Amino acid sequence: MHLFSETLSAHKASSFITTLKEVSLWSSATVPTSHEQVSCARSAVLHALVQRGLQRLPALRLTCHFGKNLPHPPSLCGGDRLIIPKTALASAQLSQRGLGAVARSTNSHTCLKLQAFSTCALRAGQRVMAARQEEAAGEKVLSIDGSMLEGGGQILRNAAALAAITSTPIKVSKIRAGRSKPGLRAQHLAGLQLVADLCQGRLEGGTIGSQEISLTPHHLSCGHHIGDTKTAGSCMLLAQAALPCLFMAHQVSSPVGTMPDGRTSVLDLRGGTDACMAPPAAYAQHVLLPMLQRLQGVQASLDLHKRGFFPKGGGRVLLSAAALAQGTCLPAFQLTDPGHVTRVRIMAHTAGKVKEQVASRMVEAARDTIKQSVKNTPIDCEAVREGSDRAFGDGTGILMVAETSTGCLLGASGIGERGVQAEQIATTAADELVQAICSGACVDQWLQDQLVVFMALGQGESKLLCTEPTLHTRTAMVVAEQLTAARFEVHKPAGKIKCWQVHCIGAAVPADTTHI
């Protein structure tokens, strides 16, 4: 029985298979009756590929399509996705009758039809799955209530990231139980799939609407990965889940073109870059990443290739981050001196059918609001019209950043809404920034909860001066304590101290950059 069809010679097959990264299983027969059948088929095809030259690849991305009206060849987009580590493929052979596959290499758009195989291999695949289930049954799985406190997607993002870093199998139940549409949405699923890719883990229950998932991590290693919400859902929420993983990942011993140093991972993230209910991409560029670099010395950058707006998304960013040296920990930090504001930057943009003057009006309204409260401080303004090569769809937005004498960065943003005046959006965001400045806090309300994961992983005691911790922040602390040895304390304002203080004894989790 041959793996490849006669249209591909053995020599070409050998060359092709060494760069293979994606496989799409498909069948025009009836939909399988069980998840185990699908998993067996995946394991079987993977093992056949491993036997023919995939030994250097730790994992492979697959999609699965079933139905009678599939395109030919079937698209690699859509379907469900699962990463299966090599170690799970000990004895799988071939896939069930009627199941075919399409493979794509990373350096070629050529699609390749694989032959369908006999049913004898299905039993071999079932034995592999049974062995994996027995192995998983022996692992202690940490259960997390997805409805607690904030009860939203942040629980999933933080839990998945810390599970991958600490190699802790988790089960999250009651996902978004209190929402009008409970269960996983597209952006939540994309984030989980991305983390599963990063740690070559096994994700179960990963479907839209699912209210329970399980993630069993494997090796967290540096690499090049794609995360796509396939909607206008925020791709920056994917970045939130993945970023801690990138700092703690294994270095690779055989650097490739996209990662010549073996330690700098690149994430190609797609979806909404300027979405409601999430910080915009520019916030990560100008606030989050610079603060992490200052506080913990990490190396990370974000390149905004194309903005994406509601309702179609279509945005794209590249997030690059270097893993820590082997055995080192993120340092603790003391962020307790806000200093005084030395400069404010206002950046507004428009795209598509939104007129260029809208950005200028937003900048002017924001500047007037800030000047009333922040006296004698330089305010740098920028209004940009994004062309079709820099944005997809119609939209507008604004970001404001206040810089202080002690290196603190406070941010606020606004996204254009249908029926809402540009000046109102800008003024609301400017009022938020002014409140953050006048509070005496070292961080804005959006940064405080994003720093919790990094405090938990750090070595030593971290202190953070902030406004009253948000529900997101309190939820992040609970999840961090469940998955690490970190311990948090929250101190109310007392005496001359007007702000709240968050103290954390970090878990001192070392980066494991062992060459694999």
Side-chain angles (χ1 to χ4, degrees):
M1 191 71 68
H2 298 288
L3 176 65
F4 294 96
S5 64
E6 296 179 359
T7 57
L8 193 68
S9 68
H11 174 73
K12 290 182 179 179
S14 176
S15 175
F16 184 90
I17 209 66
T18 59
T19 58
L20 189 66
K21 288 292 186 182
E22 296 187 44
V23 167
S24 177
L25 305 181
W26 64 279
S27 175
S28 59
T30 57
V31 177
T33 58
S34 68
H35 175 74
E36 285 74 20
Q37 285 182 310
V38 178
S39 298
C40 289
R42 288 184 174 120
S43 296
V45 171
L46 269 178
H47 182 69
L49 296 177
V50 168
Q51 286 183 320
R52 289 159 175 82
L54 268 178
Q55 289 87 348
R56 293 187 295 277
L57 296 179
L60 197 66
R61 178 179 294 132
L62 296 99
T63 56
C64 196
H65 309 264
F66 296 93
K68 293 184 178 299
N69 298 313
L70 293 176
H72 183 78
S75 169
L76 286 176
C77 298
D80 62 328
R81 205 174 63 171
L82 181 68
I83 295 295
I84 302 179
K86 277 194 312 184
T87 54
L89 308 176
S91 61
Q93 298 296 321
L94 304 172
S95 70
Q96 69 184 105
R97 184 185 302 275
L99 195 65
V102 169
R104 177 181 291 171
S105 72
T106 56
N107 59 2
S108 171
H109 292 293
T110 303
C111 282
L112 170 67
K113 182 177 180 181
L114 306 183
Q115 292 181 344
F117 303 114
S118 65
T119 57
C120 64
L122 182 58
R123 288 186 290 273
Q126 289 173 332
R127 288 195 296 271
V128 173
M129 290 302 299
R132 289 177 61 199
Q133 290 169 355
E134 290 177 5
E135 179 183 357
E139 298 173 340
K140 185 177 181 180
V141 179
L142 178 66
S143 295
I144 297 174
D145 183 353
S147 67
M148 67 176 174
L149 297 175
E150 188 272 333
Q154 184 214 38
I155 294 176
L156 291 167
R157 292 189 293 274
N158 287 9
L162 291 172
I165 291 168
T166 60
S167 297
T168 303
I170 60 170
K171 180 175 73 173
V172 184
S173 57
K174 301 179 184 178
I175 295 172
R176 302 179 69 249
R179 299 297 197 262
S180 58
K181 293 183 179 180
L184 296 178
R185 297 292 95 198
Q187 66 267 31
H188 307 126
L189 178 56
L192 290 170
Q193 290 171 333
L194 179 59
V195 173
D197 285 1
L198 293 173
C199 69
Q200 303 163 34
R202 184 173 72 253
L203 175 64
E204 298 178 3
T207 58
I208 299 297
S210 172
Q211 295 190 53
E212 181 174 295
I213 64 96
S214 295
L215 175 64
T216 304
H218 193 52
H219 290 301
L220 184 60
S221 58
C222 300
H224 186 288
H225 300 271
I226 297 175
D228 191 350
T229 67
K230 297 182 175 65
T231 66
S234 175
C235 62
M236 297 315 301
L237 296 181
L238 309 187
Q240 281 187 18
L243 187 60
C245 301
L246 303 186
F247 294 141
M248 310 300 289
H250 299 274
Q251 292 184 10
V252 297
S253 57
S254 300
V256 295
T258 56
M259 191 174 55
D261 61 359
R263 62 187 289 259
T264 302
S265 297
V266 178
L267 302 186
D268 187 341
L269 306 178
R270 304 169 188 180
T273 61
D274 297 78
C276 61
M277 305 300 292
Y283 182 90
Q285 283 181 310
H286 299 287
V287 179
L288 174 62
L289 296 183
M291 284 296 287
L292 288 176
Q293 182 174 6
R294 178 208 152 198
L295 296 173
Q296 297 185 307
V298 295
Q299 300 176 39
S301 64
L302 186 136
D303 185 5
L304 176 54
H305 275 229
K306 180 177 285 190
R307 295 185 186 274
F309 306 99
F310 179 84
K312 294 184 179 180
R316 184 186 180 209
V317 301
L318 291 182
L319 175 63
S320 302
L324 299 179
Q326 179 181 358
T328 62
C329 302
L330 289 169
F333 57 82
Q334 308 290 311
L335 196 53
T336 56
D337 184 0
H340 63 273
V341 177
T342 58
R343 182 171 74 135
V344 175
R345 289 177 288 157
I346 303 175
M347 297 157 277
H349 63 270
T350 60
K353 298 177 181 178
V354 183
K355 296 180 180 179
E356 184 176 359
Q357 296 90 325
V358 171
S360 299
R361 287 164 46 200
M362 295 178 80
V363 166
E364 184 176 351
R367 180 178 57 205
D368 291 345
T369 301
I370 293 172
K371 286 175 65 176
Q372 293 176 15
S373 301
V374 184
K375 308 292 186 180
N376 304 318
T377 300
I379 301 178
D380 300 334
C381 300
E382 180 183 275
V384 175
R385 169 70 176 176
E386 303 283 23
S388 59
D389 61 326
R390 295 281 300 165
F392 181 79
D394 311 320
T396 183
I398 188 168
L399 175 74
M400 286 155 274
V401 181
E403 302 175 3
T404 78
S405 57
T406 55
C408 296
L409 298 174
L410 307 173
S413 62
I415 303 297
E417 299 179 41
R418 187 180 297 275
V420 181
Q421 289 290 319
E423 289 83 358
Q424 181 180 340
I425 294 170
T427 299
T428 300
D431 284 339
E432 181 184 309
L433 181 65
V434 169
Q435 290 175 10
I437 293 171
C438 295
S439 71
C442 293
V443 295
D444 59 65
Q445 62 174 321
W446 308 108
L447 187 61
Q448 63 171 241
D449 73 275
Q450 293 186 66
L451 290 180
V452 168
V453 168
F454 301 101
M455 296 170 74
L457 295 172
Q459 183 175 28
E461 182 179 10
S462 293
K463 294 182 180 180
L464 176 65
L465 195 68
C466 60
T467 55
E468 182 175 359
T470 65
L471 193 55
H472 275 89
T473 300
R474 293 182 181 276
T475 306
M477 289 189 286
V478 171
V479 172
E481 289 188 340
Q482 285 184 283
L483 279 152
T484 71
R487 291 295 175 262
F488 286 86
E489 291 183 359
V490 176
H491 300 273
K492 295 181 178 180
K496 296 182 179 181
I497 300 177
K498 299 179 180 180
C499 288
W500 294 61
Q501 290 192 47
V502 175
H503 293 195
C504 173
I505 303 298
V509 178
D512 188 353
T513 52
T514 304
H515 291 275
I516 59 174

